[in-house]
Amino acid sequence: MLRHMVLLQIDDQVGATEITALIEELSVIAFETPGIVAFAGGAKAPGSGLSQGFTHALCIDFVDEIARDAYLSGLDKDGVGRRISEMTVGGLGGVLAMNIDISDMKFSNDLPPKKLQAKWV
């Protein structure tokens, strides 16, 4: 299984409605793609302070690289890929995309329960 992660540095001049419409359109393309497992996307949540100017993110899980590639080719549909580069700071310089293999993903309920670590003082 493959997790496709995309960080976007959306230009300040782009309105919230346009950003929401773009993310919705990306989800539609994703869910039209055979082999999609899950899609999430939206604005960054406050907290880490390490966003380095990236304002929005997408995370899409695919069964394999073939499904991911089919999704990417779908971005040419209606010029969605072009609109992404128009909305980001520096065009494609405002986009960071990465894929990781999550076939061996671990879940918290897969781990043995933690034993209390205490001392008599």
Side-chain angles (χ1 to χ4, degrees):
M1 193 142 68
L2 192 70
R3 177 158 291 161
H4 178 68
M5 300 170 292
V6 180
L7 302 178
L8 302 170
Q9 187 176 13
I10 303 289
D11 191 285
D12 292 339
Q13 305 302 314
V14 179
T17 304
E18 190 176 355
I19 297 167
T20 300
L22 175 71
I23 292 173
E24 178 59 29
E25 191 166 357
L26 290 167
S27 76
V28 168
I29 293 169
F31 284 113
E32 288 175 346
T33 304
I36 184 175
V37 176
F39 178 96
K44 71 177 179 84
S48 74
L50 296 173
S51 61
Q52 298 185 24
F54 290 98
T55 59
H56 294 76
L58 307 169
C59 186
I60 312 169
D61 293 345
F62 296 102
V63 295
D64 57 22
E65 292 86 359
I66 295 169
R68 188 263 334 267
D69 292 347
Y71 165 76
L72 293 176
S73 69
L75 296 181
D76 291 334
K77 175 184 173 185
D78 298 328
V80 177
R82 178 186 47 75
R83 285 202 321 278
I84 291 170
S85 66
E86 290 172 351
M87 294 171 68
T88 52
V89 176
L92 291 179
V95 178
L96 174 65
M98 169 180 280
N99 301 290
I100 61 170
D101 183 343
I102 59 169
S103 301
D104 63 348
M105 186 183 305
K106 295 169 183 53
F107 297 90
S108 62
N109 54 350
D110 293 338
L111 303 174
K114 292 184 178 181
K115 184 176 178 181
L116 174 64
Q117 299 293 316
K119 294 181 184 179
W120 188 273
V121 291

